[in-house]
Short mmCIF file of all heavy atoms in Angstrom, two decimals:
data_model
loop_
_atom_site.label_atom_id
_atom_site.label_comp_id
_atom_site.label_asym_id
_atom_site.label_seq_id
_atom_site.Cartn_x
_atom_site.Cartn_y
_atom_site.Cartn_z
N ALA P 1 46.21 32.00 45.63
CA ALA P 1 45.70 33.10 44.91
C ALA P 1 44.25 33.36 45.33
O ALA P 1 43.51 32.47 45.53
CB ALA P 1 45.59 32.68 43.37
N THR P 2 43.91 34.58 45.64
CA THR P 2 42.79 34.96 46.29
C THR P 2 41.85 36.00 45.48
O THR P 2 41.29 36.97 46.03
CB THR P 2 43.08 35.47 47.74
OG1 THR P 2 44.04 36.50 47.59
CG2 THR P 2 43.58 34.36 48.59
N LEU P 3 41.74 35.76 44.26
CA LEU P 3 41.10 36.70 43.39
C LEU P 3 39.52 36.49 43.55
O LEU P 3 39.04 35.35 43.57
CB LEU P 3 41.37 36.67 41.93
CG LEU P 3 42.87 37.15 41.59
CD1 LEU P 3 43.87 36.02 41.80
CD2 LEU P 3 42.83 37.47 40.05
N GLU P 4 38.78 37.65 43.70
CA GLU P 4 37.21 37.51 43.76
C GLU P 4 36.65 38.00 42.54
O GLU P 4 35.39 37.93 42.37
CB GLU P 4 36.83 38.23 45.01
CG GLU P 4 37.22 37.62 46.31
CD GLU P 4 36.66 38.34 47.46
OE1 GLU P 4 36.03 39.40 47.34
OE2 GLU P 4 36.85 37.82 48.57
N ARG P 5 37.44 38.60 41.56
CA ARG P 5 36.88 39.01 40.27
C ARG P 5 38.02 39.04 39.23
O ARG P 5 39.17 38.89 39.67
CB ARG P 5 36.33 40.53 40.37
CG ARG P 5 37.41 41.59 40.75
CD ARG P 5 36.83 42.94 40.85
NE ARG P 5 37.82 43.94 41.03
CZ ARG P 5 38.39 44.24 42.21
NH1 ARG P 5 38.07 43.54 43.30
NH2 ARG P 5 39.33 45.24 42.33
N ASN P 6 37.64 39.05 38.05
CA ASN P 6 38.63 38.87 36.91
C ASN P 6 39.70 37.79 37.20
O ASN P 6 40.79 37.98 37.21
CB ASN P 6 39.47 40.21 36.81
CG ASN P 6 38.51 41.51 36.39
OD1 ASN P 6 37.53 41.22 35.64
ND2 ASN P 6 38.92 42.61 36.78
N THR P 7 39.06 36.59 37.42
CA THR P 7 39.88 35.42 37.82
C THR P 7 40.51 34.81 36.54
O THR P 7 41.38 33.87 36.76
CB THR P 7 39.07 34.48 38.63
OG1 THR P 7 38.08 33.91 37.74
CG2 THR P 7 38.52 35.00 39.84
N GLY P 8 40.06 35.10 35.37
CA GLY P 8 40.36 34.39 34.19
C GLY P 8 41.92 34.29 33.96
O GLY P 8 42.39 33.31 33.53
N ARG P 9 42.64 35.50 34.18
CA ARG P 9 44.04 35.51 33.93
C ARG P 9 44.75 34.49 34.76
O ARG P 9 45.74 33.83 34.35
CB ARG P 9 44.55 36.92 34.00
CG ARG P 9 44.56 37.51 35.43
CD ARG P 9 44.62 39.05 35.46
NE ARG P 9 43.41 39.61 35.05
CZ ARG P 9 43.02 40.82 35.24
NH1 ARG P 9 43.88 41.73 35.71
NH2 ARG P 9 41.85 41.35 34.93
N VAL P 10 44.47 34.52 36.14
CA VAL P 10 45.08 33.60 37.05
C VAL P 10 44.73 32.18 36.83
O VAL P 10 45.52 31.20 36.65
CB VAL P 10 44.89 34.00 38.49
CG1 VAL P 10 45.35 32.90 39.49
CG2 VAL P 10 45.64 35.36 38.79
N ARG P 11 43.41 31.97 36.61
CA ARG P 11 42.94 30.62 36.46
C ARG P 11 43.53 29.98 35.06
O ARG P 11 43.81 28.77 34.97
CB ARG P 11 41.44 30.62 36.29
CG ARG P 11 40.77 29.28 36.35
CD ARG P 11 39.27 29.37 36.48
NE ARG P 11 38.78 30.02 37.73
CZ ARG P 11 38.84 29.50 38.86
NH1 ARG P 11 39.05 28.24 39.06
NH2 ARG P 11 38.41 30.23 39.89
N SER P 12 43.65 30.82 34.02
CA SER P 12 44.24 30.31 32.75
C SER P 12 45.68 29.86 33.00
O SER P 12 46.14 28.82 32.59
CB SER P 12 44.30 31.34 31.68
OG SER P 12 44.79 31.03 30.53
N LEU P 13 46.53 30.64 33.76
CA LEU P 13 47.87 30.23 34.04
C LEU P 13 47.96 28.97 34.92
O LEU P 13 48.55 27.96 34.54
CB LEU P 13 48.59 31.36 34.68
CG LEU P 13 50.02 30.95 35.25
CD1 LEU P 13 51.07 30.70 34.21
CD2 LEU P 13 50.46 32.19 36.11
N LEU P 14 47.26 29.00 35.99
CA LEU P 14 47.35 27.90 37.01
C LEU P 14 46.75 26.58 36.47
O LEU P 14 47.31 25.57 36.78
CB LEU P 14 46.78 28.34 38.34
CG LEU P 14 47.39 29.54 39.00
CD1 LEU P 14 46.79 29.73 40.29
CD2 LEU P 14 48.99 29.29 39.18
N SER P 15 45.75 26.69 35.67
CA SER P 15 45.15 25.49 35.13
C SER P 15 46.02 24.77 34.15
O SER P 15 46.15 23.66 34.02
CB SER P 15 43.78 25.72 34.57
OG SER P 15 43.90 26.62 33.50
N ARG P 16 46.79 25.63 33.35
CA ARG P 16 47.65 25.21 32.35
C ARG P 16 48.81 24.41 32.96
O ARG P 16 49.39 23.38 32.42
CB ARG P 16 48.22 26.32 31.48
CG ARG P 16 49.26 25.96 30.49
CD ARG P 16 48.51 25.01 29.47
NE ARG P 16 49.53 24.64 28.37
CZ ARG P 16 49.71 25.14 27.24
NH1 ARG P 16 49.04 26.29 26.82
NH2 ARG P 16 50.68 24.74 26.36
N ILE P 17 49.25 24.75 34.27
CA ILE P 17 50.45 24.13 34.74
C ILE P 17 50.03 23.32 36.00
O ILE P 17 50.89 22.93 36.82
CB ILE P 17 51.52 25.15 35.31
CG1 ILE P 17 50.91 26.19 36.30
CG2 ILE P 17 51.97 25.90 34.07
CD1 ILE P 17 51.90 27.09 36.87
N GLY P 18 48.73 22.93 36.18
CA GLY P 18 48.27 21.98 37.11
C GLY P 18 48.28 22.47 38.56
O GLY P 18 48.36 21.85 39.53
N LEU P 19 48.16 23.80 38.71
CA LEU P 19 48.05 24.36 40.13
C LEU P 19 46.79 25.18 40.32
O LEU P 19 46.79 26.06 41.22
CB LEU P 19 49.31 25.35 40.27
CG LEU P 19 50.70 24.67 40.38
CD1 LEU P 19 51.78 25.77 40.53
CD2 LEU P 19 50.71 23.83 41.68
N GLU P 20 45.73 24.81 39.67
CA GLU P 20 44.44 25.52 39.84
C GLU P 20 43.98 25.34 41.30
O GLU P 20 43.16 26.26 41.72
CB GLU P 20 43.50 24.97 38.82
CG GLU P 20 42.23 25.89 38.76
CD GLU P 20 41.28 25.45 37.61
OE1 GLU P 20 41.58 24.42 37.00
OE2 GLU P 20 40.28 26.12 37.42
N ASN P 21 44.41 24.34 42.02
CA ASN P 21 43.99 24.20 43.36
C ASN P 21 44.53 25.27 44.32
O ASN P 21 44.13 25.39 45.45
CB ASN P 21 44.35 22.78 43.95
CG ASN P 21 45.91 22.59 44.04
OD1 ASN P 21 46.65 23.09 43.13
ND2 ASN P 21 46.40 21.88 45.00
N ARG P 22 45.50 26.08 43.87
CA ARG P 22 45.95 27.19 44.62
C ARG P 22 45.07 28.35 44.68
O ARG P 22 45.39 29.34 45.42
CB ARG P 22 47.34 27.63 44.19
CG ARG P 22 48.37 26.47 43.99
CD ARG P 22 48.42 25.48 44.98
NE ARG P 22 48.95 26.04 46.33
CZ ARG P 22 49.00 25.38 47.42
NH1 ARG P 22 48.67 24.05 47.51
NH2 ARG P 22 49.48 25.99 48.60
N ILE P 23 44.03 28.34 43.98
CA ILE P 23 42.97 29.49 43.93
C ILE P 23 42.03 29.05 45.11
O ILE P 23 41.39 28.10 45.18
CB ILE P 23 42.26 29.51 42.59
CG1 ILE P 23 43.26 29.77 41.46
CG2 ILE P 23 41.18 30.55 42.67
CD1 ILE P 23 42.54 29.73 40.04
N VAL P 24 42.03 30.07 46.04
CA VAL P 24 41.19 29.95 47.26
C VAL P 24 39.78 30.57 46.94
O VAL P 24 39.70 31.74 46.65
CB VAL P 24 41.81 30.45 48.43
CG1 VAL P 24 40.94 30.39 49.68
CG2 VAL P 24 43.22 30.01 48.71
N SER P 25 38.81 29.72 47.15
CA SER P 25 37.39 30.14 47.05
C SER P 25 36.63 30.25 48.30
O SER P 25 35.64 30.95 48.56
CB SER P 25 36.63 29.42 45.96
OG SER P 25 36.60 27.99 46.38
N ASP P 26 37.15 29.49 49.21
CA ASP P 26 36.62 29.33 50.57
C ASP P 26 37.68 29.17 51.64
O ASP P 26 38.29 28.19 51.67
CB ASP P 26 35.57 28.18 50.64
CG ASP P 26 34.87 28.06 51.95
OD1 ASP P 26 35.18 28.87 52.95
OD2 ASP P 26 34.07 27.13 52.14
N CYS P 27 37.87 30.14 52.41
CA CYS P 27 38.93 30.25 53.40
C CYS P 27 38.73 29.08 54.43
O CYS P 27 39.68 28.53 54.92
CB CYS P 27 39.03 31.56 54.17
SG CYS P 27 40.36 31.69 55.28
N ASP P 28 37.59 28.77 54.73
CA ASP P 28 37.20 27.72 55.73
C ASP P 28 37.76 26.29 55.32
O ASP P 28 37.91 25.49 56.19
CB ASP P 28 35.75 27.77 56.02
CG ASP P 28 35.28 28.98 56.74
OD1 ASP P 28 36.10 29.62 57.44
OD2 ASP P 28 34.06 29.39 56.54
N THR P 29 37.84 26.06 54.02
CA THR P 29 38.25 24.72 53.57
C THR P 29 39.84 24.79 53.12
O THR P 29 40.33 23.86 52.52
CB THR P 29 37.60 24.27 52.38
OG1 THR P 29 37.63 25.26 51.29
CG2 THR P 29 36.03 24.20 52.82
N LEU P 30 40.53 25.81 53.50
CA LEU P 30 41.91 25.97 53.15
C LEU P 30 42.80 24.87 53.79
O LEU P 30 42.71 24.56 54.92
CB LEU P 30 42.35 27.36 53.71
CG LEU P 30 43.94 27.64 53.33
CD1 LEU P 30 44.07 27.87 51.86
CD2 LEU P 30 44.28 29.05 54.07
N ASP P 31 43.61 24.16 52.93
CA ASP P 31 44.47 23.17 53.43
C ASP P 31 45.91 23.60 53.53
O ASP P 31 46.68 23.63 52.61
CB ASP P 31 44.39 21.86 52.45
CG ASP P 31 45.24 20.72 52.96
OD1 ASP P 31 45.83 20.78 54.09
OD2 ASP P 31 45.28 19.78 52.17
N ILE P 32 46.19 24.09 54.70
CA ILE P 32 47.53 24.57 54.93
C ILE P 32 48.61 23.60 54.79
O ILE P 32 49.85 23.92 54.45
CB ILE P 32 47.65 25.30 56.25
CG1 ILE P 32 46.61 26.49 56.31
CG2 ILE P 32 49.06 25.89 56.65
CD1 ILE P 32 46.55 27.24 57.70
N GLU P 33 48.41 22.32 54.96
CA GLU P 33 49.39 21.31 54.88
C GLU P 33 49.82 21.03 53.48
O GLU P 33 50.87 20.48 53.21
CB GLU P 33 48.82 20.00 55.50
CG GLU P 33 48.40 20.18 56.92
CD GLU P 33 49.59 20.55 57.88
OE1 GLU P 33 50.65 20.29 57.68
OE2 GLU P 33 49.32 21.27 58.82
N ASP P 34 48.99 21.52 52.51
CA ASP P 34 49.35 21.27 51.07
C ASP P 34 50.44 22.23 50.74
O ASP P 34 50.17 23.42 50.43
CB ASP P 34 48.09 21.49 50.23
CG ASP P 34 48.41 21.21 48.74
OD1 ASP P 34 49.44 20.73 48.43
OD2 ASP P 34 47.48 21.50 47.99
N ASP P 35 51.69 21.79 50.57
CA ASP P 35 52.78 22.71 50.46
C ASP P 35 53.52 22.61 49.06
O ASP P 35 54.68 22.95 48.88
CB ASP P 35 53.86 22.46 51.56
CG ASP P 35 54.49 21.04 51.45
OD1 ASP P 35 53.98 20.28 50.63
OD2 ASP P 35 55.30 20.77 52.25
N LEU P 36 52.76 22.05 48.05
CA LEU P 36 53.40 21.86 46.77
C LEU P 36 54.55 21.03 46.70
O LEU P 36 55.39 21.11 45.85
CB LEU P 36 53.71 23.29 46.13
CG LEU P 36 52.71 24.35 46.18
CD1 LEU P 36 53.25 25.59 45.59
CD2 LEU P 36 51.47 23.91 45.37
N SER P 37 54.70 20.05 47.60
CA SER P 37 55.85 19.18 47.72
C SER P 37 56.09 18.30 46.55
O SER P 37 57.24 17.90 46.27
CB SER P 37 55.75 18.37 48.98
OG SER P 37 54.58 17.54 49.01
N ASP P 38 54.98 17.90 45.82
CA ASP P 38 55.15 16.98 44.73
C ASP P 38 55.86 17.69 43.47
O ASP P 38 56.42 16.99 42.60
CB ASP P 38 53.94 16.30 44.31
CG ASP P 38 52.75 17.24 43.86
OD1 ASP P 38 53.12 18.47 43.74
OD2 ASP P 38 51.77 16.70 43.56
N MET P 39 55.71 18.94 43.34
CA MET P 39 56.29 19.75 42.26
C MET P 39 55.95 19.14 40.85
O MET P 39 56.64 19.37 39.84
CB MET P 39 57.79 19.76 42.42
CG MET P 39 58.26 20.47 43.58
SD MET P 39 57.78 22.24 43.63
CE MET P 39 58.83 22.87 42.44
N ALA P 40 54.79 18.56 40.82
CA ALA P 40 54.38 17.93 39.48
C ALA P 40 54.11 18.98 38.45
O ALA P 40 54.16 18.78 37.22
CB ALA P 40 52.98 17.14 39.63
N HIS P 41 53.83 20.20 38.93
CA HIS P 41 53.60 21.33 38.00
C HIS P 41 54.86 21.79 37.18
O HIS P 41 54.79 22.53 36.25
CB HIS P 41 53.01 22.42 38.74
CG HIS P 41 53.99 23.19 39.70
ND1 HIS P 41 54.27 22.52 40.95
CD2 HIS P 41 54.70 24.18 39.58
CE1 HIS P 41 55.15 23.38 41.52
NE2 HIS P 41 55.32 24.39 40.70
N ALA P 42 56.05 21.44 37.72
CA ALA P 42 57.27 22.03 37.27
C ALA P 42 57.40 21.64 35.63
O ALA P 42 57.81 22.60 34.90
CB ALA P 42 58.46 21.52 38.09
#
């Protein structure tokens, strides 16, 4: 998720289901290896 404004709607959803780390704030620190494999959010 790459929102730069009005982030509340996406942040509210993703934080509720444990996927807030999918919001990218800095492209240089992007972890491409993180592939959601644990599915803990399900």
Side-chain angles (χ1 to χ4, degrees):
T2 51
L3 290 83
E4 293 183 351
R5 63 182 186 278
N6 296 330
T7 63
R9 68 200 73 168
V10 168
R11 195 172 297 278
S12 178
L13 169 64
L14 297 185
S15 62
R16 179 65 184 263
I17 61 175
L19 287 178
E20 195 171 7
N21 64 325
R22 309 314 294 177
I23 300 174
V24 180
S25 56
D26 183 357
C27 185
D28 294 331
T29 61
L30 184 66
D31 183 6
I32 296 177
E33 301 302 328
D34 181 11
D35 64 355
L36 305 182
S37 58
D38 63 3
M39 297 298 288
H41 68 282

